[in-house]
Amino acid sequence: SPLFAAQISTASVPPVVAQLSSSVSQLPANTTPNAITYDSQDLLMGITHTINGSRVTVPLSGVYIIVLGGQISRTGGGGVQSEDIWIRKNGVDIPHSGIRQTLLNPNDTAVVVNNFALNLVAADYIEVMQQVSISTVGLGITRLDVSGGPSIPSIIFTMLKM
């Protein structure tokens, strides 16, 4: 109908999206918060990121969806150990954005996934932080090599403006 056709917009709005990943293990040498870095920009449209950097900067104000998945492992040590991952905006921790993974034994591996929605203003930047309970057991986000398949990044970070 003519009314329906008039309601359809032909304007094309380019997506504002980033998918970043890290092909290296990031095992903190301390038990203080450490920013996670990304050495691969799998998809980058509108959002700003510098290779091997931790900051992801948005160009426009609005609501952004963040999805991240990290491959956590440890290589040694005894007892229960844990890793926390959370989001910072402009250098400030975001309440209720954290997740914790506990590993019971050496050579344990687990995947953590976090989904979050944030209202951001143009030029705000996001960082994903990690903190381990002990720094001497090879605990952190870990790249894994797979026989017959692609390697598994230590982390995949996706951000999309709604």
Side-chain angles (χ1 to χ4, degrees), residues 3-76:
L3 179 60
F4 179 73
Q7 293 172 340
I8 297 175
S9 171
T10 57
S12 177
V13 177
V16 176
V17 61
Q19 181 167 306
L20 310 172
S21 60
S22 177
S23 65
V24 297
S25 296
Q26 297 181 49
L27 310 176
N30 55 55
T31 57
T32 59
N34 289 267
I36 293 173
T37 60
Y38 312 95
D39 63 357
S40 179
Q41 297 170 337
D42 306 315
L43 178 64
L44 194 62
M45 300 176 74
I47 293 173
T48 304
H49 169 261
T50 302
I51 292 289
N52 294 319
S54 63
R55 292 183 179 185
V56 181
T57 305
V58 301
L60 302 170
S61 298
V63 175
Y64 287 78
I65 302 296
I66 297 171
V67 179
L68 62 96
Q71 183 77 32
I72 296 176
S73 68
R74 67 185 256 204
T75 57

Side-chain angles (χ1 to χ4, degrees), residues 57-128:
T57 305
V58 301
L60 302 170
S61 298
V63 175
Y64 287 78
I65 302 296
I66 297 171
V67 179
L68 62 96
Q71 183 77 32
I72 296 176
S73 68
R74 67 185 256 204
T75 57
V80 176
Q81 304 300 333
S82 62
E83 173 160 357
D84 297 330
I85 294 180
W86 69 94
I87 299 169
R88 278 189 179 166
K89 178 176 89 171
N90 301 328
V92 178
D93 297 338
I94 299 294
H96 312 291
S97 69
I99 52 176
R100 174 174 283 180
Q101 178 64 52
T102 300
L103 299 177
L104 303 177
N105 302 299
N107 302 314
D108 278 354
T109 300
V111 174
V112 296
V113 177
N114 195 354
N115 306 314
F116 210 77
L118 282 174
N119 192 21
L120 300 174
V121 176
D124 279 350
Y125 69 89
I126 297 299
E127 291 178 290
V128 177

